[in-house]
Every structure is written in C-alpha cells, then in structure tokens.
C-alpha cells in the first residue's frame, strides 16, 4: 500500500501522478458516457442537441477550472481560463476544415460525431507529446519562449493579411500517400474504419480501409497543423504543463460537441480571424515583454483575450447578420 501511495504522489512534470490520472479518468469517463450512452446509435446530431451538449462540456470545463482556482490559487485559475479561451477560439477555424473534409469524403452527419470523438484519442496522444516536448524545451532553454513569441507574432500578422482561399483536400500529402499504399473501398460501411473484402485479383478476403478512416486521418493531421499555433500560444500564458494540457484537452472535448452547430453557421464567423490574429500578436508581444521587463498580470491577459475574442464574435455576427454577407454565404 505504501508503494502505491508513493507512486500516486510521484512527481510528473511538476504535479503528482494522481492529478494526471484523475484528469485522464474524467476525460475517458466523458468519452465513454458520450459514446456509450448519449450516442450509442448512429444518428444525425441537430443544432439544438449540439448546443446543449456544448453547454454541458463548457460547464465541466468551468467546474474543473474552478477547482484549479480553489486548489492551486487565483493565478493558476486565471491562466487555465485564459488558455481555455484561446484554445477554444483558435479551434473555431478548425471547424471549417473539418466540415470540408467530411464533405470531400461524403460522410453522412449520422457518422460524423463518432468519428470526431474517436479522433480525440489520437488528439490526447498528439497534444500530450507536443506539450511534453514544448515543456522540456522551455525548462531547459527559457529563451525558447522567445521563439514561440516570434512565431506567434509572425502567424498573427500573416493571418491578418491572408487571402480567403478554398482548401483543396485532394492535394493533402498524407491523403495521397495513403490512397497510393492502402486498399480503400469506394463506399462507406457504416461506422467501420476497416472491412474485409475479396482481393480483386486473388479473390482472397483482405483488409480494406474505408473513406471514414481516411477522413479520420486527415482530420487528425489538420489538428496537428492547428496545434502548431495553439500550443505555443498557451505556453505564452503559462509554462505549467498540467494547466497547458488540461486547458487544451477541455477545449477540444467541447469543440467536438459544438461542431454541428458551428458547421451550420461557420460563415457567420468570417471576421473572427482578425480577432484571433490580434490575440496571437498580443500573446506573442506579451512573451517579449515578460522576458525583458517582467511578467504581465494574469488578469490582464485573461481580460484582453476574452475581450478581443468576444469583440470578434460580435462583430462577425453583426456584419453577417444581413445584406451582402448573408447572400454571399447562402
């Protein structure tokens, strides 16, 4: 028993092991409840249900953030909520890409939710590795934060002036690689990622991938691309690996639930990218200020971040509420 207790209090990235296991237990319990109870059968998720489920996930994230605030202090709590807000806002851009991927592979809405939820397992591993590497680099070389800051500044400025181009899924390098080296069926087989079918030459039953599997792979590659922006952004808020990881995962869990509501009105957020660009520039500039002049009050970071994101959302909804924007989006 003493050995078990000692193991639970083993230091992992600055926090006892039981804290990490507790958070992962919450995540997997939510996924099991989502897949095994709420969405046991394949069906289309409506906007109303998507919004209700999103409120539930936001409430869970808020309660968890409240626990961090109470147990680790107000500064840690503000860092968590700032990171959560940034990750949530940056994820909205991901919704448009995911929608394009599902459309390209002709995935019915009834099968999309489970594909998104199963993708979270890969995201847990991927984000965990990226955050672990980032934390190790920051601990060993604090000047790495300056590289993160420069990257965020450049990314934010590029986002401000980026043209509105259509993403061509067929040109995805990973998709071309997989389709050349894997047997892929032309049709879906329900929610199955792999099926056994006769080989066209030998007639022997062999394993084939389905379009749903390819969609899942491309979605996770897209998440990796977006993580390249979001992980440095949250490290600019805090270098506490536990807060970085938990804020990331809580935001992603909620995004999957919110996807069906956002996908139906993603055109309404066409101006949000300017607010996101402003947030990236602000966070990048904050890194340089903190490095050379002293840390910025977490309350200021939280206030500025939330204000910019809220302004971007409200401005987008106002600009696309009628007239030419709606006609263009229709």
């Amino acid at each position: 028993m003493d050995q078990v207790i000692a193991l639970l209090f083993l230091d992992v990235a600055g926090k006892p092991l039981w804290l990490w296991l507790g958070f992962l237990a919450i995540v997997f319990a939510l996924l099991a409840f989502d897949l095994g109870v709420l969405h046991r059968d394949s069906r289309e998720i409506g906007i109303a249900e998507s919004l209700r489920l999103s409120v539930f996930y936001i409430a869970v994230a808020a309660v968890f953030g409240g626990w961090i605030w109470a147990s680790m202090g107000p500064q840690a709590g503000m860092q968590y909520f700032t990171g959560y807000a940034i990750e949530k806002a940056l994820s909205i851009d991901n919704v448009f890409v995911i929608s394009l991927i599902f459309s390209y592979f002709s995935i019915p809405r009834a099968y999309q939710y489970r594909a998104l939820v199963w993708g979270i397992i890969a995201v847990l591993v991927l984000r965990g590795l990226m955050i672990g590497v980032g934390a190790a680099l920051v601990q060993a070389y604090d000047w790495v934060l300056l590289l993160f800051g420069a990257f965020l500044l450049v990314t934010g400025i590029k986002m401000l002036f980026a043209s509105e181009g259509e993403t061509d899924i067929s040109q995805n390098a990973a998709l071309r690689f997989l389709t050349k080296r894997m047997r892929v069926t032309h049709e879906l087989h329900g929610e199955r990622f792999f099926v056994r079918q006769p080989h066209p030459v030998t007639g022997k039953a062999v394993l084939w991938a389905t379009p749903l599997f390819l969609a899942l792979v491309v979605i996770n590659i897209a998440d990796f691309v977006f993580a390249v922006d979001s992980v440095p952004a949250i490290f600019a808020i805090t270098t506490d690996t536990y807060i970085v990881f938990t804020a990331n995962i809580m935001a992603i869990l909620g995004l999957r639930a919110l996807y069906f509501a956002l996908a139906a009105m993603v055109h309404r957020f066409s101006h949000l990218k300017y607010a996101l660009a402003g947030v990236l520039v602000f966070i990048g500039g904050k890194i340089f200020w903190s490095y050379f002049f002293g840390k910025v009050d977490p309350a200021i970071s939280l206030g500025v971040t939330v204000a910019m994101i809220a302004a971007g959302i409200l401005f987008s909804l106002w600009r696309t509420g009628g007239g030419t924007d709606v006609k263009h989006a229709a």
Side-chain angles (χ1 to χ4, degrees):
M1 177 61 75
D2 291 341
Q3 290 179 334
V4 173
I5 294 175
L7 180 63
L8 289 176
F9 282 89
L10 180 69
D11 185 274
V12 178
K15 292 291 186 293
L17 179 61
W18 69 265
L19 272 180
W20 294 96
L21 295 178
F23 176 72
L24 291 177
I26 292 172
V27 171
F28 286 113
L30 287 170
L31 292 177
F33 178 71
D34 209 332
L35 283 172
V37 179
L38 295 181
H39 302 100
R40 183 187 299 272
D41 302 318
S42 300
R43 58 186 176 83
E44 184 174 330
I45 307 298
I47 292 178
E49 182 180 355
S50 174
L51 291 173
R52 286 196 301 270
L53 197 56
S54 297
V55 170
F56 167 73
Y57 275 110
I58 291 171
V60 170
V63 170
F64 185 79
W67 174 80
I68 287 182
W69 192 298
S71 62
M72 301 182 190
Q75 179 170 318
M78 283 187 283
Q79 289 171 343
Y80 168 85
F81 282 112
T82 304
Y84 178 80
I86 291 172
E87 296 300 317
K88 197 77 168 177
L90 289 174
S91 295
I92 293 177
D93 265 1
N94 209 355
V95 168
F96 177 67
V97 176
I98 292 173
S99 179
L100 285 178
I101 292 169
F102 280 141
S103 296
Y104 177 80
F105 289 103
S106 301
I107 307 298
R109 288 173 65 89
Y111 300 150
Q112 290 177 9
Y113 192 83
R114 284 204 171 191
L116 289 171
V117 175
W118 283 113
I120 292 176
I121 306 300
V123 169
L124 280 169
V125 176
L126 177 64
R127 292 290 175 104
L129 288 173
M130 293 184 70
I131 290 169
V133 171
L137 287 173
V138 169
Q139 256 190 343
Y141 313 101
D142 62 346
W143 51 263
V144 169
L145 280 173
L146 295 178
L147 296 181
F148 286 173
F151 176 77
L152 293 174
L153 285 170
V154 171
T155 303
I157 293 170
K158 284 177 63 178
M159 189 182 292
L160 281 173
F161 299 102
S163 59
E164 300 288 341
E166 185 79 8
T167 303
D168 188 355
I169 303 299
S170 65
Q171 297 305 308
N172 183 278
L175 177 59
R176 294 203 305 266
F177 177 85
L178 289 173
T179 52
K180 286 180 180 178
R181 289 164 177 79
M182 293 183 68
R183 292 180 292 267
V184 182
T185 62
H186 293 292
E187 65 286 332
L188 289 167
H189 292 264
E191 292 181 320
R192 298 172 68 182
F193 294 124
F194 296 95
V195 293
R196 285 196 171 276
Q197 288 189 343
H199 192 280
V201 177
T202 65
K204 184 179 179 180
V206 293
L207 202 62
W208 293 68
T210 68
L212 189 61
F213 172 75
L214 294 184
L216 183 63
V217 171
V218 177
I219 285 171
N220 279 289
I221 291 172
D223 179 77
F224 173 79
V225 173
F226 281 95
V228 172
D229 288 341
S230 65
V231 170
I234 195 170
F235 266 114
I237 300 300
T238 177
T239 54
D240 186 319
T241 311
Y242 186 76
I243 294 177
V244 170
F245 182 73
T246 54
N248 252 275
I249 300 306
M250 281 297 185
I252 292 169
L253 283 173
L255 174 70
R256 265 52 179 180
L258 190 58
Y259 165 78
F260 293 94
L262 288 180
M265 55 180 184
V266 71
H267 65 278
R268 298 293 305 277
F269 298 95
S270 57
H271 299 283
L272 180 60
K273 74 167 190 173
Y274 300 110
L276 298 180
V279 169
L280 293 180
V281 170
F282 168 71
I283 297 299
K286 174 181 167 293
I287 290 180
F288 283 92
W289 181 272
S290 299
Y291 193 88
F292 292 108
F293 302 106
K295 289 189 175 182
V296 177
D297 188 334
I300 295 176
S301 295
L302 177 59
V304 171
T305 299
V306 172
M308 293 179 77
I309 293 170
I313 291 173
L314 293 174
F315 181 72
S316 291
L317 293 175
W318 174 67
R319 284 296 303 270
T320 59
T324 57
D325 284 78
V326 171
K327 292 177 181 177
H328 178 69

